[in-house]
């Protein structure tokens, strides 16, 4: 991506920050520095207001009602599907299953796509750097079917070893998986190359886009994958929203995973027939207001523009990395050539959790722990890391405040 496309001066950071009310609060009497964006993003006013307005003016259930409010709620919910489809350049709105997040999306693929295909001796390929949401569902269906889960290796810089991933795409692999961006390392993976190799071999590829969609424009057709999972709450939207994009041929062949209302054509005790995709995967009342908020989140990204977002975030990433490197005994985990603004690190002689707890008292919110990536922690031989994850509404001044706070708490612990 061209990072010099737009000068940073065009990016009106103060105007953007004014849209995020939470950013101006204090924590323990200190101005908040929110660097836990990979965990969940903050929400801009248009998202909060859209949900508020939905409940104040349009609330009703979707699909079942013919009254005006029901039509308005249905139009808003289905409008979110249209917007998400355009946001990731899906060829059709009917290829987008709305879910509660990435976790529901990967589980849907596990039980509805993978499980019926898996035979003893088959395999699912994932990588060492995955979030548990892109490991555990595969293990659960592998256990039921006698298949195995293989993990492609990474190197010490935190980059996927592409040749090895490709070498592991053997005939027994029935599904390949990879994250587009690592939630711990920030590494951007070569998804297009992986997709090309999978297609050559007739293996379906699932991409976990949770940490990609908040930072870069996504085009599922250009990526060439079969499944793309995303979660709304990391991309300015409410919790409990997300989506699975899948090629139509897969959705048509997949049996429903959850049964109930909304997903049927006719229910009879001698045989129930199901609605077409995507509705056959959306049993029950969905998170209507949540998707209204997610629609507004997409509008917000588009009003700021990913070119500007990318340029600003890459500046922040470079600056924060440079400042962190000044700290004696600090080791950055994840030094891939291409990264999104996520920095995991450790400081000699300190525990990540102690640092995070003391940083909180300075108003700095960062995450410590295994980040739902146990195999990655095992690879680096550490129980946990401290992770600073940035968003386009963060500033250099916040990076400075974070470094001052880190130096202070480091001193207290040494
Ligand atoms: N994959 C990645 C890479 C993630 O970072 C996360 C959230 N931490 C998930 C999957 C799971 O997302 P959710 O909990 O919203 O389903």
């Amino acid at each position: 991506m061209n990072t010099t496309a737009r000068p940073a001066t065009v990016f009106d950071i103060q105007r953007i920050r004014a849209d995020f009310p939470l950013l101006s609060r204090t924590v323990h009497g200190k101005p908040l520095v929110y660097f836990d964006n990979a965990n969940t993003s903050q929400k801009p006013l248009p998202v909060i207001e859209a949900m508020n307005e939905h409940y104040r003016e349009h609330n009703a259930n979707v699909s079942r009602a013919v009254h005006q409010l029901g039509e308005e709620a249905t139009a808003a919910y289905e409008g979110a599907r249209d917007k998400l489809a355009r946001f990731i350049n899906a060829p059709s709105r009917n290829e987008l299953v709305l879910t509660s997040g990435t976790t529901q999306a990967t589980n849907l693929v596990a039980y509805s796509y993978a499980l019926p295909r898996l035979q003893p001796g088959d395999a699912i390929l994932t990588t060492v750097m995955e979030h548990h949401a892109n490991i555990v569902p595969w293990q659960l269906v592998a256990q039921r079917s006698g298949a195995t889960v293989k993990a492609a290796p990474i190197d010490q810089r935190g980059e996927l070893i592409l040749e090895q991933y490709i070498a592991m795409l053997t005939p027994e692999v029935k599904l390949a998986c990879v994250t587009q961006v690592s939630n711990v390392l920030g590494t951007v993976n070569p998804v297009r190359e992986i997709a090309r190799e999978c297609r050559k071999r007739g293996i379906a590829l699932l991409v976990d886009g949770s940490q990609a969609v908040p930072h870069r424009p996504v085009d599922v057709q250009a990526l060439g994958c079969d499944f793309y999972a995303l979660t709304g709450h990391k991309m300015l939207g409410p919790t409990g929203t997300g989506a699975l994009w899948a090629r139509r041929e897969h959705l048509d062949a997949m049996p429903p995973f959850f049964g109930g209302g909304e997903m049927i054509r006719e229910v009879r005790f001698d045989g129930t027939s199901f609605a077409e995709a995507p509705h056959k995967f959306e049993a029950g009342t969905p998170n209507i207001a949540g998707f209204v908020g997610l629609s507004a989140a997409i509008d917000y990204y588009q009003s700021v523009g990913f070119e500007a977002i990318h340029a600003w975030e890459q500046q922040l990433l470079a600056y924060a990395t440079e400042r962190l490197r000044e700290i004696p005994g600090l080791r950055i985990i994840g030094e891939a050539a291409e990264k999104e603004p996520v920095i995991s690190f450790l400081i000699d002689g300190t525990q990540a959790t102690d640092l995070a707890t003391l940083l909180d008292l300075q108003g700095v919110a960062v995450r410590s722990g295994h980040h739902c990536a146990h195999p990655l922690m095992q690879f680096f031989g550490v129980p946990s890391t401290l992770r600073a994850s940035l968003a386009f509404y963060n500033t250099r001044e916040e990076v400075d405040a974070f470094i001052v706070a880190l130096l202070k708490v480091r001193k207290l612990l040494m």
Side-chain angles (χ1 to χ4, degrees):
M1 204 183 296
N2 183 357
T3 56
T4 54
R6 201 191 279 221
T9 46
V10 174
F11 190 70
D12 188 347
I13 185 68
Q14 290 316 328
R15 189 187 56 73
I16 286 171
R17 286 179 70 81
D19 287 335
F20 290 81
L22 197 140
L23 296 179
S24 59
R25 68 163 279 183
T26 56
V27 167
H28 303 300
K30 304 271 171 29
L32 169 69
V33 174
Y34 187 76
F35 280 0
D36 197 16
N37 295 287
N39 207 355
T40 198
S41 71
Q42 294 305 339
K43 320 301 173 198
L45 277 170
V47 169
I48 299 167
E49 280 164 4
M51 294 172 71
N52 198 346
E53 186 195 311
H54 172 79
Y55 277 126
R56 291 173 72 110
E57 313 235 358
H58 310 287
N59 179 52
N61 210 332
V62 292
S63 304
R64 292 187 203 109
V66 291
H67 54 69
Q68 179 64 28
L69 293 183
E71 279 176 16
E72 288 172 13
T74 305
Y77 178 71
E78 292 299 332
R81 194 188 314 275
D82 291 321
K83 225 170 252 182
L84 259 175
R86 283 196 296 274
F87 188 61
I88 60 169
N89 197 28
S92 160
R93 67 184 310 278
N94 292 329
E95 294 181 348
L96 261 180
V97 181
L98 302 184
T99 67
S100 63
T102 293
T103 304
Q104 192 189 337
T106 53
N107 277 275
L108 171 58
V109 175
Y111 286 93
S112 194
Y113 177 84
L115 187 57
R117 281 173 177 71
L118 291 174
Q119 303 286 334
D122 284 345
I124 295 177
L125 178 63
T126 186
T127 87
V128 167
M129 71 168 82
E130 301 305 313
H131 186 279
H132 295 161
N134 203 12
I135 299 175
V136 182
W138 316 130
Q139 291 179 323
L140 291 175
V141 293
Q143 270 163 19
R144 289 198 187 190
S145 57
T148 54
V149 176
K150 304 195 291 183
I154 62 170
D155 62 20
Q156 285 298 325
R157 287 159 57 89
E159 287 184 339
L160 186 65
I161 307 175
L162 183 60
E163 315 79 73
Q164 298 213 24
Y165 189 101
I166 294 169
M168 291 172 84
L169 290 170
T170 49
E172 66 274 14
V173 174
K174 296 293 175 293
L175 176 71
C177 309
V178 69
T179 192
Q180 191 173 0
V181 173
S182 159
N183 64 315
V184 182
L185 310 166
T187 307
V188 179
N189 282 319
V191 170
R192 278 183 195 222
E193 285 90 323
I194 292 173
R196 211 177 302 128
E197 296 300 326
C198 286
R199 279 201 99 59
K200 273 190 214 162
R201 293 162 178 78
I203 298 171
L205 175 68
L206 176 138
V207 175
D208 177 350
S210 310
Q211 299 288 349
V213 284
H215 302 294
R216 48 178 51 221
V218 167
D219 178 337
V220 290
Q221 297 185 63
L223 288 178
C225 56
D226 293 81
F227 299 100
Y228 193 92
L230 63 87
T231 196
H233 69 97
K234 295 181 200 288
M235 50 174 283
L236 313 180
T239 52
T241 61
L244 173 74
W245 169 75
R247 291 181 189 273
R248 180 83 210 189
E249 75 233 43
H250 296 319
L251 290 180
D252 285 345
M254 285 159 60
F257 172 38
F258 284 116
E262 311 274 3
M263 49 77 75
I264 48 85
R265 182 171 296 134
E266 191 185 8
V267 177
R268 300 171 61 93
F269 283 110
D270 58 1
T272 288
S273 57
F274 303 112
E276 295 280 304
H279 302 287
K280 75 171 168 185
F281 301 110
E282 294 180 10
T285 300
N287 184 358
I288 304 161
F291 283 101
V292 167
L294 190 57
S295 274
I298 292 171
D299 290 342
Y300 195 86
Y301 272 114
Q302 281 162 348
S303 73
V304 181
F306 274 111
E307 250 178 43
I309 287 173
H310 187 74
W312 183 257
E313 287 183 346
Q314 288 296 313
Q315 284 185 33
L316 286 180
L317 171 65
Y319 182 59
T321 305
E322 179 191 311
R323 296 291 326 266
L324 282 169
R325 283 198 211 285
E326 290 165 9
I327 298 178
L330 188 143
R331 169 160 80 113
I332 292 179
I333 309 235
E335 301 191 281
E338 192 182 1
K339 281 182 65 168
E340 291 300 354
V342 175
I343 314 172
S344 270
F345 61 95
L346 291 168
I347 301 183
D348 285 348
T350 63
Q351 299 293 327
T353 310
D354 296 340
L355 285 165
T357 307
L358 292 176
L359 281 170
D360 176 55
L361 297 176
Q362 302 298 316
V364 177
V366 288
R367 182 156 177 210
S368 69
H370 54 67
H371 316 292
C372 299
H374 278 158
L376 185 60
M377 298 294 117
Q378 288 149 17
F379 172 79
F380 282 106
V382 297
S384 59
T385 70
L386 204 64
R387 180 186 69 185
S389 53
L390 280 50
F392 64 92
Y393 44 70
N394 289 130
T395 64
R396 281 170 78 93
E397 291 70 30
E398 287 180 305
V399 173
D400 291 335
F402 163 57
I403 299 291
V404 168
L406 193 56
L407 285 167
K408 192 167 166 182
V409 304
R410 173 181 168 274
K411 213 182 250 172
L412 289 175
L413 289 171
M414 296 197 79

